[in-house]
Amino acid sequence: MSWTLALLLLGVALFVFRLYNKRTAGRCRCTARMDGKVVIVTGANTGIGREAARDLAARGARVILACRDLKKADAARDDIVASTGNPNVLIRAVDLLSLRSVRDFCAGVLRSEDRLDVLVNNAGVGGLPNELTEDGLVMGMQANHFGPFLLTCLLVGLLKKTPGSRIVTVSSAAHPFGFFDVDNMNCEKSFNGFYLYCNSKLCNILMTLYLAEKLRGTGVTTNCLHPGAVKTDIFRHVPSELLKSFVSASVGLFFKDAHMGAQTIIHLAVSEEGARVTGKYFVDLQEQVPGGVRPGLAEEVWRRSEEYVKLAEDERPFRG
């Protein structure tokens, strides 16, 4: 096959992908207000987290932007307040690569808030190096799973006290490629960046499944989602400048913008379906069956995660 024909076929494939991505992109049509409600969105200083926070602020919610980069968070808050007219948008520092930071953040939330209506676990990253954090965890796994896992555990009590509260976790369609091995959950034994990302996104789904079972009957719903192929800077840490440039050019041409990528988050946070359905995986506002899930795996991943984050007895949301 000639290079000319190969490039032509690639161009056609990318055009079809772009057309499919646009035609199947769901848009949240729910007009529900969020006045008097409290929402936390992690990673809200950029991308789909920022757009989800903007929408929820426009509905009247008190929105807490949980961010590591406070300079970007300041800019995001000013932008959201200006575009929505809602001044009740706050910044709280949290670095998911530090379990101490996560614990400090949650302690602050429990001191300042008497309710939590929606927790959006949005923050995530790809392309981090094969290095350990101060907690002895591989950076990518801590950013995408162990940090959000601890944060969720510490806030479950407040969610249970709030009628009709919800947990919304951003996963990825890459999750079935994790080929999950509980004995290599921290990805230390054989590091592979792609495998690690997929593995962490499968963990997001397994966490959701376990939470849904344990929270059944409490009024708290928990769901996860794939936001679609979205133009964000999630792979800003990829070490190869050539690869980074290729990814940036590709997503700019063919992927959804952040506003459209946030639609499923918003749907699960505000819609009647998000209040009724729990333990499900959504893509473009539609429920789908996740891959890579086998019986008993969610419970095993939860138990191992408790060990990795050194969850104290009084921090465990489900005891016994």
Side-chain angles (χ1 to χ4, degrees):
M1 180 185 295
S2 69
W3 278 107
T4 301
L5 180 57
L7 289 172
L8 177 62
L9 291 175
L10 177 61
V12 171
L14 289 172
F15 175 78
V16 171
F17 174 77
R18 182 182 186 185
L19 184 63
Y20 171 81
N21 205 28
K22 293 186 71 173
R23 288 179 64 86
T24 59
R27 183 184 293 272
C28 179
R29 304 291 182 182
C30 178
T31 59
R33 296 288 301 173
M34 299 285 283
D35 302 282
K37 296 188 175 183
V38 178
V39 176
I40 293 174
V41 183
T42 66
N45 59 331
T46 188
I48 61 176
R50 182 169 176 166
E51 294 308 311
R54 186 194 311 280
D55 184 280
L56 299 173
R59 296 170 188 266
R62 172 182 171 88
V63 180
I64 298 173
L65 311 180
C67 305
R68 180 186 63 84
D69 189 326
L70 298 185
K71 184 176 180 180
K72 287 184 178 180
D74 277 333
R77 177 187 56 192
D78 291 346
D79 175 40
I80 292 170
V81 170
S83 64
T84 64
N86 181 357
N88 204 6
V89 179
L90 313 174
I91 297 171
R92 295 289 182 268
V94 63
D95 181 358
L96 296 175
L97 291 176
S98 166
L99 298 182
R100 178 174 57 184
S101 175
V102 173
R103 286 183 163 95
D104 289 344
F105 168 80
C106 291
V109 169
L110 295 178
R111 285 193 301 267
S112 67
E113 310 300 325
D114 58 8
R115 64 183 298 136
L116 177 56
D117 296 88
V118 183
L119 168 62
V120 179
N121 287 313
N122 161 75
V125 68
L128 288 175
N130 182 19
E131 297 177 6
L132 300 182
T133 68
E134 63 186 24
D135 303 297
L137 302 171
V138 174
M139 292 179 70
M141 281 301 299
Q142 181 160 341
N144 291 351
H145 171 61
F146 292 120
F149 170 83
L150 176 61
L151 187 147
T152 302
C153 284
L154 298 180
L155 295 179
V156 161
L158 185 56
L159 287 157
K160 288 168 68 176
K161 294 177 182 177
T162 309
S165 61
R166 314 178 189 195
I167 303 169
V168 180
T169 300
V170 178
S171 180
S172 167
H175 73 270
F177 302 104
F179 303 109
F180 199 84
D181 175 9
V182 292
D183 292 326
N184 189 31
M185 186 173 170
N186 194 30
C187 297
E188 286 181 278
K189 296 180 180 178
S190 55
F191 179 85
N192 176 287
F194 176 72
Y195 167 81
L196 182 149
Y197 181 78
C198 300
N199 205 52
S200 67
K201 295 290 104 179
L202 179 56
C203 282
N204 296 156
I205 291 175
L206 295 168
M207 179 182 78
T208 296
L209 295 177
Y210 187 85
L211 279 169
E213 182 61 32
K214 288 296 185 179
L215 291 171
R216 200 170 300 279
T218 66
V220 183
T221 63
T222 176
N223 294 290
C224 56
L225 65 118
H226 168 55
V230 185
K231 181 184 178 182
T232 70
D233 59 354
I234 187 172
F235 291 104
R236 60 191 178 276
H237 297 290
V238 172
S240 168
E241 290 300 323
L242 180 62
L243 179 59
K244 190 184 301 182
S245 298
F246 174 77
V247 170
S248 178
S250 298
V251 300
L253 286 172
F254 302 106
F255 290 10
K256 297 177 184 177
D257 61 25
H259 171 73
M260 289 306 299
Q263 295 302 303
T264 304
I265 296 176
I266 297 164
H267 172 73
L268 292 174
V270 305
S271 70
E272 186 278 333
E273 183 176 28
R276 172 175 47 83
V277 174
T278 191
K280 303 300 181 182
Y281 169 66
F282 285 77
V283 180
D284 285 322
L285 281 66
Q286 301 297 315
E287 183 183 326
Q288 293 192 10
V289 178
V293 178
R294 61 178 186 269
L297 184 57
E299 183 175 3
E300 179 68 5
V301 166
W302 184 277
R303 185 179 65 79
R304 294 287 185 98
S305 298
E306 288 184 330
E307 295 172 358
Y308 275 114
V309 303
K310 297 179 174 59
L311 205 64
E313 187 62 31
D314 61 353
E315 294 177 328
R316 296 176 186 269
F318 315 113
R319 303 180 191 181

